[in-house]
Amino acid sequence: METIRACVCEKLLQKADRLFTGTMNGRIIEILQNARRAGATEVRISNKDGLVSVQDNGKGIEDFQKLLDLGNSGWDEKLEAGEDPAGVGLFSLAPRKVTITSGDRQVVIEKDGWSGEPIEVVRANQGVNGTILAFADEGPWCFETVEKHAVFSGMKVFVDGQQCESVPFCSDNAVLYERPGCRIEVLDNISEHHRKWANGWHGDRVLVNFHGQVVQLDWWPAEKYRGLNILVDIADKTDIRLMLPARTRLVENAAFEKIKAAIEFEYYKYYQWQEKHALYYKEYLRAKELGIELPEAEPQFVPGLIWDEYDMPIEVTMPKGFELKDCYLCFNDELDDEQAETNAHLLSALGKFKDSPFVPVRIDNGYMGYNWSKLAKVTKVEVKTGKERLRHGICCEEIACFDNVSITVHVSDGRVFGSEVSMAVMALPQKGKYAWHTNLVCVTEKARCELTAENIWYHMGGFNDSGDGDAYDTQLYYFEKELDDFWNELIGPYETLRQQLIKELYQLHDKWQKITLTEDRTLEIVFKDGKTETVKPPK
Ligand SMILES: Nc1ncnc2c1ncn2[C@@H]1O[C@H](COP(=O)(O)OP(=O)(O)OP(=O)(O)O)[C@@H](O)[C@H]1O
Ligand SMILES: [Mg+2]
């Protein structure tokens, strides 16, 4: 019978220097890790004459052969069981020339030494307690970079005499999970040292401390990030493994699944401690499924139905003391009315109500399901207008002034709210098959004083921020000009002329009392102090 068997070819040794990504960060991680595994409490790094030397006060090297035994380690059994060393770390220094001294022995590994040539173990000129590695790296091992990797190692690490900070990865509040062997802490703030590792898009990364080495988990227990931080401190005894050779990710094994489950549980536990929260309804249900009873989320809502980032629409405010349960929801698609939300909003913002006011609110879909989100809904919105007085087209939309405009809203609890308003929006019937869908903005004369140009502009297309258009102020300026023409025509045929003439009088600084212009082009100015001036046109 023919059989096959996995084996390692010696040729792999020749490629050992390429098993690693070969970054300085990677080398710092490996060397600090070896010192910690050797039981060192102190590591002294110095940069001198182009050489980096790293001395630890660990137990020293018993068997020098183990240094270059690819795939084999010389650590004790307990450590082997927990940390699963791969016997490859030192090869991150290849193909550099490295001098390693421990006790009274020394080796110099270089060139072919990395790929199988015998290397002599010699007596060291000067014996050391622990181990010293000396090699030339791309540059010095600077304090900041080393500190980032040393801060959670539990060892005192010095770089050129300067001591790195050493802080516990988790606080005593972390919750211990015997299986798969870790402590988990959910907290709203982390130290600056932690933050150096939390460079996710929002910071929404679970940080895992694997015996002093921090890795990020590309996974979060909920859909939405809410500014929390999650720390996982791996215990000595663990089934958690790191991916080789880079060791920057966790292996997705059964222990990893257990960690995820534990994190999710602690995440919702955190909100139970907090007593109040703003979790989505789905998350609230998930917590319940995990056996964590949470109160309902704090009501999350915004008065009004329309908004934009430039604050153009008229604002709806919540009257003092008014309660959410007396507010209403409104959805265009449920009503098959494109303008329902707009007009319900405008009624609320501009209407006058004798009894209780009409207040529609927006609630993020994620919150639908909580009891407080179950509000009565708008069932119908009507706009009525009086006699039309003037209509203009501005850009692609139309604006018309009516004697009066009113909006009426029917709601599902049977009430009806209605009021005269200075503005409403109607969809114009489509002219022809391919015509653009346009709106008619219906205003009353009152809108001229009651509303800003931006309030009206918003309903007539508003700011075009596609990037290739004019700046906001420029676009608004052109709109205001057209809107002024509209209002002036409404006031009377010569209103624009009057305004233009007044504008030209600015040079008289309000000192004039009466200005007369006669048919022969003669100008007569009567000043406030009684003087008069007559200006005849030049011959
Ligand atoms: N600072 C040190 N003190 C004592 N022994 C060391 C030290 N550094 C390395 N060794 C010895 O050299 C061996 C090889 O180290 P290497 O970093 O290549 O592999 P490893 O640490 O066993 O596994 P890993 O691939 O996880 O790093 C170690 O198993 C250990 O026996
Ligand atoms: Mg190692």
mmCIF file of all heavy atoms in Angstrom, residues 131-169:
data_model
loop_
_atom_site.group_PDB
_atom_site.id
_atom_site.type_symbol
_atom_site.label_atom_id
_atom_site.label_comp_id
_atom_site.label_asym_id
_atom_site.label_seq_id
_atom_site.Cartn_x
_atom_site.Cartn_y
_atom_site.Cartn_z
ATOM 1 N N THR A 131 20.411 36.716 29.376
ATOM 2 C CA THR A 131 20.768 36.574 27.969
ATOM 3 C C THR A 131 20.986 37.946 27.338
ATOM 4 O O THR A 131 20.255 38.892 27.652
ATOM 5 C CB THR A 131 19.629 35.841 27.217
ATOM 6 O OG1 THR A 131 19.389 34.608 27.873
ATOM 7 C CG2 THR A 131 19.958 35.606 25.757
ATOM 8 N N ILE A 132 21.968 38.042 26.463
ATOM 9 C CA ILE A 132 22.142 39.287 25.683
ATOM 10 C C ILE A 132 22.134 38.943 24.198
ATOM 11 O O ILE A 132 22.810 38.021 23.754
ATOM 12 C CB ILE A 132 23.492 39.986 25.962
ATOM 13 C CG1 ILE A 132 23.647 40.277 27.450
ATOM 14 C CG2 ILE A 132 23.591 41.282 25.169
ATOM 15 C CD1 ILE A 132 24.952 41.019 27.763
ATOM 16 N N LEU A 133 21.338 39.688 23.439
ATOM 17 C CA LEU A 133 21.362 39.579 21.987
ATOM 18 C C LEU A 133 21.908 40.893 21.446
ATOM 19 O O LEU A 133 21.483 41.964 21.910
ATOM 20 C CB LEU A 133 19.963 39.377 21.413
ATOM 21 C CG LEU A 133 19.326 37.982 21.501
ATOM 22 C CD1 LEU A 133 18.726 37.766 22.867
ATOM 23 C CD2 LEU A 133 18.286 37.835 20.422
ATOM 24 N N ALA A 134 22.812 40.821 20.490
ATOM 25 C CA ALA A 134 23.325 42.054 19.879
ATOM 26 C C ALA A 134 23.319 41.883 18.364
ATOM 27 O O ALA A 134 23.746 40.857 17.850
ATOM 28 C CB ALA A 134 24.727 42.357 20.383
ATOM 29 N N PHE A 135 22.787 42.875 17.661
ATOM 30 C CA PHE A 135 22.665 42.785 16.196
ATOM 31 C C PHE A 135 22.472 44.189 15.635
ATOM 32 O O PHE A 135 22.147 45.125 16.370
ATOM 33 C CB PHE A 135 21.458 41.912 15.810
ATOM 34 C CG PHE A 135 20.204 42.314 16.521
ATOM 35 C CD1 PHE A 135 19.338 43.233 15.970
ATOM 36 C CD2 PHE A 135 19.899 41.786 17.789
ATOM 37 C CE1 PHE A 135 18.187 43.623 16.642
ATOM 38 C CE2 PHE A 135 18.752 42.175 18.454
ATOM 39 C CZ PHE A 135 17.899 43.091 17.883
ATOM 40 N N ALA A 136 22.689 44.304 14.343
ATOM 41 C CA ALA A 136 22.446 45.601 13.697
ATOM 42 C C ALA A 136 21.048 45.557 13.075
ATOM 43 O O ALA A 136 20.735 44.634 12.321
ATOM 44 C CB ALA A 136 23.493 45.837 12.616
ATOM 45 N N ASP A 137 20.198 46.519 13.421
ATOM 46 C CA ASP A 137 18.872 46.587 12.798
ATOM 47 C C ASP A 137 18.846 47.772 11.831
ATOM 48 O O ASP A 137 19.844 48.490 11.705
ATOM 49 C CB ASP A 137 17.794 46.721 13.889
ATOM 50 C CG ASP A 137 16.468 46.105 13.433
ATOM 51 O OD1 ASP A 137 16.211 46.111 12.222
ATOM 52 O OD2 ASP A 137 15.700 45.637 14.284
ATOM 53 N N GLU A 138 17.715 47.962 11.173
ATOM 54 C CA GLU A 138 17.607 49.079 10.196
ATOM 55 C C GLU A 138 17.986 50.413 10.833
ATOM 56 O O GLU A 138 18.442 51.329 10.170
ATOM 57 C CB GLU A 138 16.159 49.227 9.721
ATOM 58 C CG GLU A 138 15.717 48.150 8.788
ATOM 59 C CD GLU A 138 14.209 47.936 8.861
ATOM 60 O OE1 GLU A 138 13.492 48.812 9.391
ATOM 61 O OE2 GLU A 138 13.763 46.869 8.398
ATOM 62 N N GLY A 139 17.704 50.521 12.104
ATOM 63 C CA GLY A 139 17.990 51.750 12.835
ATOM 64 C C GLY A 139 17.876 51.420 14.301
ATOM 65 O O GLY A 139 17.673 50.261 14.667
ATOM 66 N N PRO A 140 17.991 52.445 15.145
ATOM 67 C CA PRO A 140 17.877 52.174 16.574
ATOM 68 C C PRO A 140 16.456 51.754 16.967
ATOM 69 O O PRO A 140 15.500 52.094 16.279
ATOM 70 C CB PRO A 140 18.248 53.513 17.222
ATOM 71 C CG PRO A 140 18.056 54.540 16.153
ATOM 72 C CD PRO A 140 18.268 53.863 14.845
ATOM 73 N N TRP A 141 16.335 50.999 18.025
ATOM 74 C CA TRP A 141 15.025 50.663 18.590
ATOM 75 C C TRP A 141 14.623 51.841 19.481
ATOM 76 O O TRP A 141 15.113 51.971 20.599
ATOM 77 C CB TRP A 141 15.116 49.377 19.436
ATOM 78 C CG TRP A 141 15.120 48.126 18.620
ATOM 79 C CD1 TRP A 141 15.402 48.011 17.296
ATOM 80 C CD2 TRP A 141 14.811 46.805 19.088
ATOM 81 N NE1 TRP A 141 15.293 46.699 16.896
ATOM 82 C CE2 TRP A 141 14.938 45.938 17.983
ATOM 83 C CE3 TRP A 141 14.460 46.257 20.325
ATOM 84 C CZ2 TRP A 141 14.716 44.565 18.076
ATOM 85 C CZ3 TRP A 141 14.238 44.893 20.425
ATOM 86 C CH2 TRP A 141 14.354 44.054 19.304
ATOM 87 N N CYS A 142 13.788 52.691 18.953
ATOM 88 C CA CYS A 142 13.522 53.916 19.701
ATOM 89 C C CYS A 142 12.499 53.673 20.814
ATOM 90 O O CYS A 142 11.714 52.716 20.775
ATOM 91 C CB CYS A 142 13.096 55.049 18.776
ATOM 92 S SG CYS A 142 11.534 54.765 18.009
ATOM 93 N N PHE A 143 12.546 54.568 21.766
ATOM 94 C CA PHE A 143 11.762 54.416 22.985
ATOM 95 C C PHE A 143 10.265 54.229 22.711
ATOM 96 O O PHE A 143 9.645 53.303 23.227
ATOM 97 C CB PHE A 143 11.982 55.649 23.876
ATOM 98 C CG PHE A 143 11.240 55.591 25.172
ATOM 99 C CD1 PHE A 143 11.731 54.875 26.247
ATOM 100 C CD2 PHE A 143 10.015 56.246 25.312
ATOM 101 C CE1 PHE A 143 11.025 54.795 27.440
ATOM 102 C CE2 PHE A 143 9.306 56.166 26.500
ATOM 103 C CZ PHE A 143 9.820 55.444 27.561
ATOM 104 N N GLU A 144 9.688 55.097 21.871
ATOM 105 C CA GLU A 144 8.235 55.056 21.630
ATOM 106 C C GLU A 144 7.791 53.705 21.078
ATOM 107 O O GLU A 144 6.789 53.144 21.505
ATOM 108 C CB GLU A 144 7.806 56.155 20.635
ATOM 109 C CG GLU A 144 7.607 57.527 21.254
ATOM 110 C CD GLU A 144 8.930 58.155 21.652
ATOM 111 O OE1 GLU A 144 9.944 57.891 20.945
ATOM 112 O OE2 GLU A 144 8.982 58.874 22.664
ATOM 113 N N THR A 145 8.568 53.210 20.097
ATOM 114 C CA THR A 145 8.178 51.941 19.478
ATOM 115 C C THR A 145 8.294 50.800 20.484
ATOM 116 O O THR A 145 7.404 49.953 20.566
ATOM 117 C CB THR A 145 9.084 51.654 18.260
ATOM 118 O OG1 THR A 145 9.304 52.874 17.575
ATOM 119 C CG2 THR A 145 8.454 50.661 17.331
ATOM 120 N N VAL A 146 9.378 50.776 21.224
ATOM 121 C CA VAL A 146 9.554 49.701 22.201
ATOM 122 C C VAL A 146 8.469 49.787 23.270
ATOM 123 O O VAL A 146 7.847 48.780 23.630
ATOM 124 C CB VAL A 146 10.958 49.776 22.850
ATOM 125 C CG1 VAL A 146 11.059 48.775 23.996
ATOM 126 C CG2 VAL A 146 12.035 49.508 21.817
ATOM 127 N N GLU A 147 8.193 51.003 23.733
ATOM 128 C CA GLU A 147 7.213 51.148 24.826
ATOM 129 C C GLU A 147 5.839 50.610 24.423
ATOM 130 O O GLU A 147 5.151 49.958 25.205
ATOM 131 C CB GLU A 147 7.084 52.609 25.249
ATOM 132 C CG GLU A 147 6.193 52.747 26.476
ATOM 133 C CD GLU A 147 6.053 54.175 26.971
ATOM 134 O OE1 GLU A 147 5.669 55.036 26.152
ATOM 135 O OE2 GLU A 147 6.314 54.417 28.154
ATOM 136 N N LYS A 148 5.468 50.857 23.169
ATOM 137 C CA LYS A 148 4.179 50.378 22.673
ATOM 138 C C LYS A 148 4.058 48.861 22.856
ATOM 139 O O LYS A 148 2.999 48.339 23.184
ATOM 140 C CB LYS A 148 4.065 50.755 21.189
ATOM 141 C CG LYS A 148 2.742 50.439 20.578
ATOM 142 C CD LYS A 148 2.670 50.895 19.116
ATOM 143 C CE LYS A 148 1.443 50.279 18.469
ATOM 144 N NZ LYS A 148 1.370 50.453 17.033
ATOM 145 N N HIS A 149 5.183 48.153 22.654
ATOM 146 C CA HIS A 149 5.146 46.694 22.759
ATOM 147 C C HIS A 149 5.456 46.196 24.160
ATOM 148 O O HIS A 149 5.199 45.043 24.469
ATOM 149 C CB HIS A 149 6.139 46.084 21.768
ATOM 150 C CG HIS A 149 5.826 46.401 20.345
ATOM 151 N ND1 HIS A 149 4.706 45.906 19.721
ATOM 152 C CD2 HIS A 149 6.441 47.197 19.436
ATOM 153 C CE1 HIS A 149 4.677 46.359 18.477
ATOM 154 N NE2 HIS A 149 5.697 47.153 18.279
ATOM 155 N N ALA A 150 6.028 47.073 24.985
ATOM 156 C CA ALA A 150 6.481 46.621 26.303
ATOM 157 C C ALA A 150 5.464 46.915 27.402
ATOM 158 O O ALA A 150 5.474 46.271 28.444
ATOM 159 C CB ALA A 150 7.802 47.304 26.640
ATOM 160 N N VAL A 151 4.591 47.866 27.115
ATOM 161 C CA VAL A 151 3.774 48.443 28.198
ATOM 162 C C VAL A 151 2.897 47.416 28.927
ATOM 163 O O VAL A 151 2.654 47.547 30.122
ATOM 164 C CB VAL A 151 2.938 49.636 27.660
ATOM 165 C CG1 VAL A 151 1.946 49.176 26.616
ATOM 166 C CG2 VAL A 151 2.251 50.377 28.773
ATOM 167 N N PHE A 152 2.444 46.372 28.251
ATOM 168 C CA PHE A 152 1.578 45.384 28.903
ATOM 169 C C PHE A 152 2.310 44.072 29.213
ATOM 170 O O PHE A 152 1.685 43.070 29.535
ATOM 171 C CB PHE A 152 0.362 45.078 28.019
ATOM 172 C CG PHE A 152 -0.428 46.298 27.643
ATOM 173 C CD1 PHE A 152 -0.608 46.652 26.312
ATOM 174 C CD2 PHE A 152 -1.006 47.100 28.622
ATOM 175 C CE1 PHE A 152 -1.324 47.779 25.964
ATOM 176 C CE2 PHE A 152 -1.719 48.231 28.280
ATOM 177 C CZ PHE A 152 -1.888 48.576 26.944
ATOM 178 N N SER A 153 3.659 44.072 29.055
ATOM 179 C CA SER A 153 4.408 42.812 29.187
ATOM 180 C C SER A 153 4.629 42.418 30.636
ATOM 181 O O SER A 153 5.007 41.286 30.924
ATOM 182 C CB SER A 153 5.761 42.937 28.476
ATOM 183 O OG SER A 153 6.583 43.820 29.220
ATOM 184 N N GLY A 154 4.437 43.351 31.535
ATOM 185 C CA GLY A 154 4.657 43.052 32.945
ATOM 186 C C GLY A 154 6.125 43.153 33.340
ATOM 187 O O GLY A 154 6.473 43.000 34.507
ATOM 188 N N MET A 155 7.025 43.384 32.348
ATOM 189 C CA MET A 155 8.447 43.508 32.679
ATOM 190 C C MET A 155 8.827 44.984 32.729
ATOM 191 O O MET A 155 8.187 45.822 32.129
ATOM 192 C CB MET A 155 9.292 42.830 31.587
ATOM 193 C CG MET A 155 9.001 41.364 31.381
ATOM 194 S SD MET A 155 10.098 40.658 30.132
ATOM 195 C CE MET A 155 9.466 41.372 28.613
ATOM 196 N N LYS A 156 9.934 45.231 33.453
ATOM 197 C CA LYS A 156 10.505 46.584 33.419
ATOM 198 C C LYS A 156 11.388 46.639 32.184
ATOM 199 O O LYS A 156 12.358 45.878 32.095
ATOM 200 C CB LYS A 156 11.381 46.818 34.641
ATOM 201 C CG LYS A 156 10.634 47.235 35.877
ATOM 202 C CD LYS A 156 11.661 47.674 36.915
ATOM 203 C CE LYS A 156 11.056 47.611 38.304
ATOM 204 N NZ LYS A 156 12.079 47.664 39.348
ATOM 205 N N VAL A 157 11.070 47.500 31.261
ATOM 206 C CA VAL A 157 11.869 47.570 30.027
ATOM 207 C C VAL A 157 12.497 48.965 29.933
ATOM 208 O O VAL A 157 11.801 49.975 30.092
ATOM 209 C CB VAL A 157 10.994 47.274 28.788
ATOM 210 C CG1 VAL A 157 11.822 47.401 27.517
ATOM 211 C CG2 VAL A 157 10.379 45.891 28.890
ATOM 212 N N PHE A 158 13.809 49.000 29.723
ATOM 213 C CA PHE A 158 14.525 50.274 29.602
ATOM 214 C C PHE A 158 15.071 50.406 28.186
ATOM 215 O O PHE A 158 15.561 49.425 27.622
ATOM 216 C CB PHE A 158 15.712 50.324 30.562
ATOM 217 C CG PHE A 158 15.320 50.241 32.015
ATOM 218 C CD1 PHE A 158 15.059 49.007 32.596
ATOM 219 C CD2 PHE A 158 15.208 51.388 32.791
ATOM 220 C CE1 PHE A 158 14.707 48.921 33.932
ATOM 221 C CE2 PHE A 158 14.850 51.308 34.127
ATOM 222 C CZ PHE A 158 14.590 50.064 34.710
ATOM 223 N N VAL A 159 14.970 51.620 27.649
ATOM 224 C CA VAL A 159 15.607 51.879 26.358
ATOM 225 C C VAL A 159 16.628 52.991 26.588
ATOM 226 O O VAL A 159 16.244 54.099 26.970
ATOM 227 C CB VAL A 159 14.579 52.308 25.284
ATOM 228 C CG1 VAL A 159 15.291 52.580 23.962
ATOM 229 C CG2 VAL A 159 13.516 51.246 25.111
ATOM 230 N N ASP A 160 17.885 52.669 26.375
ATOM 231 C CA ASP A 160 18.973 53.624 26.636
ATOM 232 C C ASP A 160 18.785 54.299 27.992
ATOM 233 O O ASP A 160 18.901 55.528 28.112
ATOM 234 C CB ASP A 160 19.054 54.663 25.507
ATOM 235 C CG ASP A 160 19.451 54.020 24.180
ATOM 236 O OD1 ASP A 160 20.268 53.074 24.212
ATOM 237 O OD2 ASP A 160 18.922 54.436 23.130
ATOM 238 N N GLY A 161 18.453 53.513 28.964
ATOM 239 C CA GLY A 161 18.340 54.016 30.333
ATOM 240 C C GLY A 161 16.975 54.558 30.714
ATOM 241 O O GLY A 161 16.674 54.734 31.896
ATOM 242 N N GLN A 162 16.132 54.809 29.721
ATOM 243 C CA GLN A 162 14.814 55.384 30.031
ATOM 244 C C GLN A 162 13.790 54.255 30.192
ATOM 245 O O GLN A 162 13.662 53.383 29.324
ATOM 246 C CB GLN A 162 14.385 56.309 28.882
ATOM 247 C CG GLN A 162 13.148 57.125 29.199
ATOM 248 C CD GLN A 162 12.723 57.983 28.000
ATOM 249 O OE1 GLN A 162 13.410 58.004 26.967
ATOM 250 N NE2 GLN A 162 11.614 58.679 28.142
ATOM 251 N N GLN A 163 13.069 54.291 31.320
ATOM 252 C CA GLN A 163 12.159 53.181 31.608
ATOM 253 C C GLN A 163 10.802 53.352 30.916
ATOM 254 O O GLN A 163 10.177 54.408 30.989
ATOM 255 C CB GLN A 163 11.937 53.059 33.115
ATOM 256 C CG GLN A 163 11.133 51.823 33.456
ATOM 257 C CD GLN A 163 11.028 51.587 34.962
ATOM 258 O OE1 GLN A 163 11.666 52.290 35.749
ATOM 259 N NE2 GLN A 163 10.244 50.607 35.351
ATOM 260 N N CYS A 164 10.342 52.303 30.227
ATOM 261 C CA CYS A 164 9.018 52.331 29.596
ATOM 262 C C CYS A 164 7.955 52.205 30.672
ATOM 263 O O CYS A 164 8.162 51.556 31.696
ATOM 264 C CB CYS A 164 8.843 51.154 28.648
ATOM 265 S SG CYS A 164 10.008 51.137 27.296
ATOM 266 N N GLU A 165 6.815 52.792 30.401
ATOM 267 C CA GLU A 165 5.718 52.629 31.346
ATOM 268 C C GLU A 165 5.229 51.197 31.310
ATOM 269 O O GLU A 165 5.293 50.528 30.271
ATOM 270 C CB GLU A 165 4.578 53.588 30.985
ATOM 271 C CG GLU A 165 4.383 54.634 32.063
ATOM 272 C CD GLU A 165 3.073 55.368 31.928
ATOM 273 O OE1 GLU A 165 3.057 56.378 31.197
ATOM 274 O OE2 GLU A 165 2.104 54.907 32.537
ATOM 275 N N SER A 166 4.742 50.760 32.443
ATOM 276 C CA SER A 166 4.218 49.407 32.523
ATOM 277 C C SER A 166 2.867 49.487 33.216
ATOM 278 O O SER A 166 2.768 49.983 34.334
ATOM 279 C CB SER A 166 5.191 48.552 33.341
ATOM 280 O OG SER A 166 4.606 47.294 33.581
ATOM 281 N N VAL A 167 1.821 49.089 32.512
ATOM 282 C CA VAL A 167 0.481 49.171 33.121
ATOM 283 C C VAL A 167 -0.240 47.842 32.922
ATOM 284 O O VAL A 167 0.037 47.115 31.964
ATOM 285 C CB VAL A 167 -0.369 50.320 32.506
ATOM 286 C CG1 VAL A 167 0.287 51.661 32.730
ATOM 287 C CG2 VAL A 167 -0.627 50.100 31.029
ATOM 288 N N PRO A 168 -1.157 47.526 33.863
ATOM 289 C CA PRO A 168 -1.932 46.296 33.663
ATOM 290 C C PRO A 168 -2.865 46.469 32.474
ATOM 291 O O PRO A 168 -3.363 47.582 32.229
ATOM 292 C CB PRO A 168 -2.718 46.138 34.962
ATOM 293 C CG PRO A 168 -2.630 47.432 35.687
ATOM 294 C CD PRO A 168 -1.540 48.250 35.085
ATOM 295 N N PHE A 169 -3.069 45.412 31.729
ATOM 296 C CA PHE A 169 -3.918 45.518 30.538
ATOM 297 C C PHE A 169 -5.378 45.725 30.943
ATOM 298 O O PHE A 169 -6.087 46.536 30.349
ATOM 299 C CB PHE A 169 -3.777 44.260 29.681
ATOM 300 C CG PHE A 169 -4.458 44.372 28.343
ATOM 301 C CD1 PHE A 169 -3.932 45.186 27.362
ATOM 302 C CD2 PHE A 169 -5.624 43.675 28.084
ATOM 303 C CE1 PHE A 169 -4.554 45.305 26.121
ATOM 304 C CE2 PHE A 169 -6.254 43.785 26.851
ATOM 305 C CZ PHE A 169 -5.711 44.598 25.868
#
